[in-house]
Amino acid sequence: MPKGYWVSVYRTISDPEKLAAYNKLAGLAVAPAGGRTLVRGGRVVARDAGIAERTVLVEFDSFEQAVAAYESAAYQEALAALSDGVERDFRIVEGID
């Protein structure tokens, strides 16, 4: 079964306090849902049309598990704390078997 991934790229961070609150709550939602954070910030080399922005990558055992984690009440609470504190591109993608 292919793994599922959350890929999040932060275009702007306008409220670091909201991001900190989100990070705390998101961690409490992701780990019990089976998510493992593989990348959080760190160095980025962007090529072609890419832009070097803060990137977060979370791995789940399946695509369905990744979707369910996003839709969970615990993660929705984290999103409410984040609200308009950032502008980000968030995707849930299916890995290759």
Side-chain angles (χ1 to χ4, degrees):
M1 178 183 317
K3 293 184 179 184
Y5 297 88
W6 288 3
V7 182
S8 186
V9 179
Y10 289 74
R11 302 206 187 288
T12 61
I13 299 171
S14 57
D15 191 330
E17 290 179 9
K18 286 184 179 180
L19 179 58
Y22 162 83
N23 284 337
K24 181 178 178 183
L25 293 169
L28 296 174
V30 168
R36 296 167 299 282
T37 302
L38 303 178
V39 175
R40 182 184 302 131
R43 299 188 306 169
V44 175
V45 174
R47 300 284 190 235
D48 300 323
I51 301 170
E53 299 169 316
R54 175 185 167 86
T55 303
V56 177
L57 177 64
V58 179
E59 179 183 63
F60 293 86
D61 289 335
S62 71
F63 179 77
E64 291 75 18
Q65 190 177 7
V67 171
Y70 183 88
E71 294 173 348
S72 72
Y75 189 69
Q76 293 304 306
E77 182 181 350
L79 286 177
L82 181 60
S83 65
D84 61 351
V86 303
E87 178 187 352
R88 68 181 186 161
D89 179 353
F90 182 95
R91 299 162 193 243
I92 301 173
V93 297
E94 185 175 53
I96 299 172
D97 228 0

